[in-house]
Amino acid sequence: MAESQTDHTHLPLSPSLRICRILNGMWQVSGGHGFIDAHHALEEMTRYVDAGLHTWDLADHYGPAEDFIGAWRTQTGRGDDIEAFTKWVPRPGPMPRGTVEAAIEVSRQRMQTHRLDLLQFHWWDYRDKRYLDAMKHLADFQRVGLLAHVGLTNFDTVRTAEIIDAGVPVLTNQVQYSLLDQRPAQEMAPLCAERGVYLLTYGTLAGGLLTRRFLNRSEPARGSLETVSLRKYKRIQEAWGDWSLFQRLLQVLDDIAQRHQVSIANVATAAILERPAVGGVILGARLSIRQHIDDNLRALALQLTDDDRRQIKAVTDHGADLMARIGDCGDEYRHRW
């Protein structure tokens, strides 16, 4: 796998798939992040694409996300200008070929495309091994052209290796990865680097906690935070360390940001983008509410120094080992912690 490139903005995940390394995350249109105006959302999608942020991450269960992609393609006639990665998140159970094909067809129709760029598969219960049936069918549908590529979402290292060993051409695994949650670095990233799989990371800004907004601020109660993302990642921050340690991290990130004339969010993003096996970072797009196009572009241009990395590590080394506390990648969705 090619780990380095002179173009820090783009990365070829395969010979036929070149992405922007910051992906626009569409979980935010599914609810819990404010009212989304559909008309203005579609207009804003064009601004993202025209700025060079042309890769989108969505899912079958992210409210109207797939429909937004389809509407944008229909209205603009620019379907070839974007890459749109969706997810299939079925309930565990029998996975005959027809069930898998029907799920693909729903996404193809909603997204107005004859072939899905990347279908990322999630499975809730490892005790039900029929995820292997689903993945083998997805590989078959890739071979006949309904899918360009197959990926995973929130699979742990053991099952990722198992699926690859079963002959499924896994291109990506989407996992939580941030300066607070560095679990992927322990086992997942080494496996991916060895087996030619790229990580697409989310939660990299901890829902917005890893921004200047929370620097020198007293600790908010989890329930007082206004979005689902902030409430979700406040729990991760609490598992990682107390608020005073988190403030130390924000201060270090702010010092680095000021030296480079960028934002705290840029530093937190760049720190994960440069990690082994990371193909791209997914940053939420609150379409029609708030956009960070210019700021995201600055993150793509930022190159951290060895001194920057040492300063960050001097703080993060004091945080809890979330691998020991939560488990491997994706385990937060499968058991209590």
Side-chain angles (χ1 to χ4, degrees):
M1 171 171 35
E3 293 284 354
S4 62
Q5 59 283 331
T6 55
D7 179 2
H8 297 285
T9 302
H10 300 93
L11 181 70
L13 296 188
S14 78
S16 61
L17 183 61
R18 181 173 178 266
I19 69 165
C20 177
R21 297 198 70 212
I22 287 183
L23 292 76
N24 309 309
M26 297 186 78
W27 179 45
Q28 281 71 11
V29 308
S30 66
H33 294 86
F35 173 73
I36 305 295
D37 181 289
H39 175 72
H40 289 137
L42 293 173
E43 291 181 340
E44 200 157 274
M45 287 175 67
T46 298
R47 289 195 285 273
Y48 274 85
V49 174
D50 288 346
L53 299 166
H54 47 75
T55 308
W56 299 82
D57 179 79
L58 48 145
D60 60 347
H61 63 291
Y62 287 3
E66 290 187 333
D67 295 310
F68 278 179
I69 293 293
W72 187 87
R73 282 174 164 152
T74 299
Q75 289 184 19
T76 65
R78 298 173 57 188
D80 293 339
D81 290 351
I82 65 171
E83 305 82 39
F85 302 163
T86 195
K87 302 179 190 73
W88 180 36
V89 186
R91 292 184 179 181
M95 286 289 127
R97 182 182 177 87
T99 296
V100 179
E101 185 174 19
I104 294 171
E105 186 60 25
V106 169
S107 291
R108 289 172 65 222
Q109 291 296 323
R110 293 181 72 186
M111 296 169 67
Q112 290 296 295
T113 183
H114 69 283
R115 183 175 67 175
L116 301 177
D117 295 324
L118 172 67
L119 184 61
Q120 303 164 96
F121 178 73
H122 175 87
W123 191 258
W124 293 104
D125 187 357
Y126 293 142
R127 294 171 298 181
D128 186 335
K129 301 284 285 185
R130 287 175 287 192
Y131 59 84
L132 288 171
D133 297 336
M135 291 303 301
K136 290 174 183 178
H137 289 314
L138 289 175
D140 288 341
F141 287 119
Q142 180 184 9
R143 282 189 283 270
V144 300
L146 295 185
L147 315 171
H149 301 90
V150 177
L152 303 173
T153 299
N154 289 313
F155 271 80
D156 66 11
T157 309
V158 170
R159 277 76 184 190
T160 299
E162 176 189 33
I163 291 167
I164 296 169
D165 289 341
V168 178
V170 174
L171 181 66
T172 61
N173 188 17
Q174 186 174 138
V175 296
Q176 185 170 290
Y177 200 174
S178 71
L179 292 174
L180 302 180
D181 183 1
Q182 300 192 47
R183 288 176 294 159
Q186 296 189 38
E187 296 181 2
M188 180 62 70
L191 172 75
C192 290
E194 176 187 344
R195 306 299 289 272
V197 176
Y198 287 96
L199 296 177
L200 302 178
T201 77
Y202 66 89
T204 303
L205 298 182
L209 287 173
L210 285 168
T211 65
R212 205 171 197 283
R213 173 186 171 190
F214 289 92
L215 178 64
N216 298 324
R217 175 176 166 179
S218 58
E219 183 171 11
R222 197 187 305 168
S224 71
L225 296 168
E226 69 271 23
T227 69
V228 172
S229 291
L230 283 169
R231 292 191 291 273
K232 173 183 178 179
Y233 292 106
K234 182 65 172 67
R235 189 177 179 211
I236 294 293
Q237 173 265 305
E238 292 166 358
W240 173 79
D242 61 25
W243 193 251
S244 62
L245 180 62
F246 181 65
Q247 285 297 309
R248 282 174 55 195
L249 177 59
L250 286 181
Q251 186 61 67
V252 165
L253 296 180
D254 191 50
D255 291 345
I256 295 169
Q258 291 189 48
R259 284 201 300 273
H260 291 277
Q261 297 185 313
V262 296
S263 68
I264 287 176
N266 293 160
V267 178
T269 300
I272 301 304
L273 272 173
E274 68 177 17
R275 298 294 177 90
V278 172
V281 166
I282 301 162
L283 300 183
R286 296 177 69 188
L287 296 172
S288 80
I289 298 174
R290 185 176 297 127
Q291 58 89 3
H292 301 282
I293 293 173
D294 292 339
D295 196 57
N296 291 353
L297 292 172
R298 283 190 286 270
L300 286 169
L302 176 59
Q303 297 295 299
L304 299 178
T305 67
D306 287 342
D307 188 53
D308 296 335
R309 298 181 189 97
R310 280 192 293 268
Q311 285 187 268
I312 293 169
K313 189 173 186 298
V315 180
T316 58
D317 278 353
H318 291 282
D321 178 0
L322 296 191
M323 191 84 155
R325 183 160 293 186
I326 299 174
D328 199 1
C329 299
D331 282 355
E332 63 269 30
Y333 296 103
R334 295 182 176 88
H335 63 72
R336 289 183 172 273
W337 55 278

